[in-house]
Amino acid sequence: MAASQPYTGDTDLIVIGGGPAGCAAAHMAASVGMRSVLIEPDTLCRNLYRIPAVNNVLGGCTSGPELADAITTELKSTGLCSIELGRRATEIRTFDDHVTVTLDTGVCLAAPYAIVATGVGPLQPRDVPWITAPSDLALPPLWEAEPDDAEGRTLFVLGGDRPIGTFLRACPAIDTRLLVAYPEVDDYKIEEIRDDPRVTLLPIEHVTLHSSEGLPTTAETVSREGGRQTVTADAVYLSIGNAPTAPSGDLIRGADGYCLPADQHPRAIVAGDLRSARFQRITTAMGSGSEAALHAYYAARELLARD
């Protein structure tokens, strides 16, 4: 899309999303002298505060809240990032020499570059074809479960996404039984929980949930070989993955909703979990956010050099 007039503002970069990727992008941008505006509808690193244990980050942090506090403290210490909380980006438009980002308040921001790090949100049973359930059924993800929710209980977990491993590592002594029903596409995800004695793996083709007083307590599973089984549990939780939450506008989405960085306009840079389902890790999100900021920095220097 061609620009009608050149951008003349005082912001070098708009960062959409205040998770690990967005915060890392804004922090890296500040370290090379770029002025940024970070847009986040909730609180910085909101989801990290719900992760009780982390084991794959540098710096000595062992829990999500500890890491979130460290990230937000570092970011707030810079004077080059303006943090706008309680605001949601509803649209991004790309032009030859700038981008615009419209907020839910109607305000339109402009800058030479934007980094989109809005990440993903949890799927529900109605969102996947291998689960049949009441259309209005909404279940909690496993990472929201407290130890008391699992102690001495059997939990039926739908999907084999990696938060199962996070939950088990955070509760190493908890006496629980997890019945994990997962489709073939999750086969590569369950390796880290395969040997945990608290886990029973159920590779399935389909699951039908039944309700009892509004809560599902039994399910009918169909194995990949066609066998049928009735599963009874004390509670049902989700670990079926997430869906991308990119703003509308000029981002290019794949068939799965993810936004591949190579497909985007040069001035719209995608970072973090929004890139792919296969790289949804805290460390990879932070790395991609930092890389995205440097991409914008070097691109701006090359454009200035040509001018």
Side-chain angles (χ1 to χ4, degrees), residues 218-238:
T218 64
E220 301 294 331
T221 67
V222 180
S223 72
R224 298 176 196 175
E225 294 76 28
R228 295 179 179 272
Q229 178 182 359
T230 299
V231 176
T232 301
D234 297 302
V236 181
Y237 287 91
L238 297 176

Side-chain angles (χ1 to χ4, degrees), residues 75 110 138 290:
L75 182 58
S290 298

Side-chain angles (χ1 to χ4, degrees), residues 168-191:
L168 291 169
R169 288 192 299 272
C171 307
I174 199 167
D175 178 21
T176 187
R177 184 186 181 205
L178 301 188
L179 305 177
V180 180
Y182 63 99
E184 188 173 359
V185 294
D186 284 358
D187 281 352
Y188 74 97
K189 299 178 181 179
I190 52 86
E191 292 305 318

Side-chain angles (χ1 to χ4, degrees), residues 228-269:
R228 295 179 179 272
Q229 178 182 359
T230 299
V231 176
T232 301
D234 297 302
V236 181
Y237 287 91
L238 297 176
S239 193
I240 59 178
N242 301 285
T245 57
S248 65
D250 291 339
L251 291 178
I252 305 301
R253 295 163 172 79
D256 57 1
Y258 285 92
C259 302
L260 295 178
D263 293 342
Q264 309 307 318
H265 188 281
R267 293 187 178 274
I269 308 166

